[in-house]
Amino acid sequence: MTSPDSATNTAHDLPDVSGLVVGVLGGTGDQGRGLAYRLAKAGQQVIIGSRTAERAAASAAELGLGVRGADNATTARESDVVIVAVPWDGHAATLSALREELAGKIVVDCVNPLGFDKQGAYALKPEEGSAAQQAAALLPDSRVTAAFHHLSAVLLQDESVAEIDTDVMVLGEERAATDIVQALASRIPGMRGIFAGRLRNAHQVESLVANLISVNRRYKAHAGLRITDV
């Protein structure tokens, strides 16, 4: 829950982001589609991106809520904030191909590098340190942040769920950019965006998803996170 002192705590003062266009790369996948749905339902202008415009348009039509569909390059070009929700194995190639279109944009990486074996999910460590740091290396002209890692795709897409009880940890190098991402997260009922450090700390945030997968399997749940005393 929000601290009683938040009304006077400047750390909780966030910008108005209602007029920003949010693009979702990988918006036809479960996580991207769920984020697109929640943000559009909150009143955000949303564009779903995919490798093919036709697939994106079909997915957008299913969502409604004014969501548009386009190929990845068009989505990146026409958005103010771009959420990266592509599979880890396509992460580097997708971003490398969009370097020009993503220049100057706020890029929100929510990709979790994970492996799976008979013991369950486990974290992978990219050469750059994390998916977010890989994005920053590939997109030197973009304002890269990391967020939305710990959200259940099932809950995001479930239209019967009015609020999602969770906090969103937001990381980045630039306060203005992380404030915008926090504000976007906070537009979704039940969520708060919480600043959680610089990109060098993204690996443990991404890795924690492996633990949440274990929690969810053991308790048949869709666990999220809450940060206390903030």
Side-chain angles (χ1 to χ4, degrees):
M1 295 179 63
T2 303
S3 165
D5 298 325
S6 63
T8 57
N9 186 341
T10 56
H12 292 269
D13 293 338
L14 297 173
D16 178 7
V17 295
S18 59
L20 298 181
V21 178
V22 179
V24 184
L25 304 180
T28 58
D30 288 340
Q31 193 79 0
R33 180 184 173 88
L35 285 168
Y37 168 69
R38 291 291 167 176
L39 288 167
K41 191 174 181 183
Q44 213 70 41
Q45 299 178 66
V46 176
I47 307 173
I48 281 179
S50 182
R51 284 176 293 180
T52 65
E54 294 77 14
R55 185 180 179 193
S59 186
E62 290 175 4
L63 286 178
L65 299 170
V67 176
R68 293 189 286 136
D71 61 72
N72 282 334
T74 302
T75 299
R77 193 180 303 114
E78 296 185 359
S79 301
D80 301 302
V81 178
V82 179
I83 297 173
V84 181
V86 300
W88 167 238
D89 58 8
H91 183 261
T94 298
L95 296 185
S96 295
L98 297 172
R99 178 172 174 174
E100 182 178 342
E101 290 84 356
L102 290 171
K105 312 282 183 172
I106 294 177
V107 174
V108 188
D109 202 299
C110 68
V111 175
N112 303 305
L114 297 175
F116 295 86
D117 59 20
K118 291 181 179 180
Q119 297 183 61
Y122 60 95
L124 303 175
K125 189 157 188 180
E127 181 179 347
E128 298 84 355
S130 64
Q133 287 170 295
Q134 183 182 86
L138 293 171
L139 304 171
D141 299 319
S142 300
R143 304 162 69 189
V144 176
T145 65
F148 299 117
H149 301 90
H150 306 136
L151 306 182
S152 163
V154 173
L155 292 183
L156 287 172
Q157 295 182 88
D158 190 340
E159 297 183 11
S160 70
V161 175
E163 297 188 3
I164 298 181
D165 182 25
T166 193
D167 286 332
V168 173
M169 299 176 74
V170 182
L171 301 94
E173 303 300 318
E174 180 192 334
R175 175 61 63 84
T178 57
D179 280 356
I180 286 172
V181 179
Q182 286 179 249
L184 284 172
S186 298
R187 295 204 75 195
I188 299 174
M191 289 189 196
R192 287 188 310 168
I194 300 293
F195 177 74
R198 294 179 177 271
L199 289 184
R200 68 180 184 180
N201 293 320
H203 172 66
Q204 55 263 42
V205 174
E206 296 169 2
S207 300
L208 188 57
V209 175
N211 302 89
L212 290 177
I213 290 172
S214 297
V215 170
N216 290 337
R217 287 180 174 174
R218 173 65 178 83
Y219 296 100
K220 296 180 173 58
H222 301 293
L225 298 177
R226 275 296 188 201
I227 307 300
T228 62
D229 198 33
V230 174

